Amino acid sequence: MAVVPMVLASLGGSRPAEGRQTPRGTLQTLIETEEGGEVPFTVVDGYLIVVEGRIGERSRVKFALDTGATYSVLRADLAKGLDTAHLPVRVVNLDKALTQERVNVVDFQLGPRRISELAMLKHDLGYLRASAPGVEGLIGLDVLRLKSFNIDFHRRKIRFGAQRLLRSSAPMEIDRSYLAVEVCLLDRPVHLLVDTGARSILLYRDRVADRLPSVKVEQRIRGASLSGEASLEVVTLPRVQLNRTELERRAVLLRSSPAEFLPGVDGYLSLAALGAWRVSFDFERSQLSWE
């Protein structure tokens, strides 16, 4: 049975652990070194957006961009010697909720944004070793949601700053833990988190059973992630759209959702499923747009 890495790494649940800080509360000081600014990226394993950042005096640290993660993650070997953050956090990963330790990273920088101190989850990221061995961390919404940005796959550049709406757009729900859009599955609404770290659309079977007709399971695979492995079913969905844009119908189903977490969330939408060459995350207007 194939094992496929799933970068659904650190989504803060709807029931936070005692004393958990909000994503914005983990940032001490944000310094914009320039207005706007661009960051180059590479695409690894056909879907994973990888950029270079800096932590302290260590430059060119490779991070995967992950809008499906509430908190940023640092590989455990790079976290050695860093102070442990006072409060662990409760996070949701695939079908499990777990408590993760954080470390305080002093002087974090990604392109034009520089953060004096950032609390990051610590993990060995072993599930990425085979497909993305050079990735040393994940950049989550605690950093990304501070300013609008767009991802240009033709130019391989991420641009931060004010955005214009692209050819197609949809309202984007901006929760403290996630970004979400409403997708139509056979003209019925499905609430999906927008996840740059997902390879394909992922649906929780138990939450979409009333809207998903019988589909043939084409293959069973193991999805490897921060919390371990989970069994996934590869299927071809019936017609699925985001504001009249036809989405890639190849998807995976996960039998069970995380109990008592993320109520109303039916799964994850990958950027690859959009088939767009440019995607904009506009936090000022709460819009996801693409072309």
Side-chain angles (χ1 to χ4, degrees), residues 13-30:
S14 59
R15 293 191 179 182
E18 187 69 24
R20 192 192 91 177
Q21 296 178 347
T22 64
R24 194 175 296 276
T26 66
L27 304 175
Q28 301 301 314
T29 306
L30 172 68

Side-chain angles (χ1 to χ4, degrees), residues 1 3 9 20 27 32 35 40 47 69 78 130 135 141 146 170 172 180 187 194 201 207 232 251 258 279 282:
M1 184 179 290
V3 178
R20 192 192 91 177
L27 304 175
E32 292 291 347
E35 181 64 27
Y47 76 103
L78 298 185
V135 170
L141 285 181
L146 295 175
M172 180 171 61
D187 298 323
V194 183
I201 291 175
R207 293 190 180 179
L232 302 172
V279 180
D282 188 333

Side-chain angles (χ1 to χ4, degrees), residues 30-209:
L30 172 68
I31 304 168
E32 292 291 347
T33 58
E34 59 181 284
E35 181 64 27
E38 292 186 332
V39 176
F41 68 87
T42 58
V43 176
V44 176
D45 200 25
Y47 76 103
L48 201 57
I49 299 167
V50 176
V51 298
E52 291 187 349
R54 180 177 62 79
I55 53 172
E57 296 181 357
R58 187 185 181 103
S59 60
R60 305 193 70 176
V61 180
K62 294 186 183 302
F63 291 97
L65 209 71
D66 192 1
T67 59
T70 302
Y71 302 101
S72 297
V73 182
L74 186 63
R75 203 172 65 193
D77 60 312
L78 298 185
K80 289 179 180 178
L82 298 179
D83 292 334
T84 300
H86 296 297
L87 298 173
V89 290
R90 188 78 165 163
V91 297
V92 177
N93 185 244
L94 290 180
D95 57 349
K96 300 180 181 70
L98 58 156
T99 300
Q100 286 289 121
E101 185 181 65
R102 293 183 297 169
V103 294
N104 290 322
V105 174
V106 176
D107 197 9
F108 170 92
Q109 186 166 3
L110 173 66
R113 66 187 53 183
R114 185 176 176 185
I115 298 166
S116 64
E117 185 176 79
L118 176 65
M120 302 180 75
L121 301 186
K122 181 174 70 172
H123 195 271
D124 66 10
L125 299 180
Y127 62 97
L128 288 177
R129 286 195 189 113
S131 60
V135 170
E136 299 165 293
L138 309 175
I139 295 178
L141 285 181
D142 50 357
V143 174
L144 295 173
R145 69 185 296 167
L146 295 175
K147 181 163 284 192
S148 298
F149 65 96
N150 76 57
I151 304 170
D152 188 322
F153 288 96
H154 282 179
R155 297 177 60 237
R156 292 289 199 267
K157 295 287 179 88
I158 299 166
R159 180 165 183 79
F160 296 98
Q163 301 295 313
R164 65 176 180 86
L165 285 180
L166 304 178
R167 185 174 299 117
S168 300
S169 63
M172 180 171 61
E173 178 189 351
I174 305 175
D175 182 84
R176 66 177 182 173
S177 299
Y178 59 77
L179 309 174
V181 292
E182 188 173 282
V183 168
C184 287
L185 179 63
L186 287 179
D187 298 323
R188 300 189 67 182
V190 177
H191 201 55
L192 301 184
L193 307 189
V194 183
D195 190 355
T196 57
R199 184 187 297 270
S200 65
I201 291 175
L202 181 147
L203 300 178
Y204 292 121
R205 184 184 275 277
D206 60 339
R207 293 190 180 179
V208 299

Side-chain angles (χ1 to χ4, degrees), residues 215-218 233-237 249-253:
V215 290
K216 178 184 177 182
V217 176
E218 301 168 11
E233 300 171 335
V234 179
V235 301
T236 298
L237 298 173
R249 294 164 56 201
R250 187 85 164 174
V252 293
L253 303 181

Side-chain angles (χ1 to χ4, degrees), residues 227-256:
S227 63
E229 293 187 3
S231 179
L232 302 172
E233 300 171 335
V234 179
V235 301
T236 298
L237 298 173
R239 187 180 188 188
V240 56
Q241 295 179 311
L242 177 60
N243 195 17
R244 297 185 297 278
T245 294
E246 298 284 345
L247 301 178
E248 169 60 46
R249 294 164 56 201
R250 187 85 164 174
V252 293
L253 303 181
L254 181 59
R255 184 172 298 277
S256 301

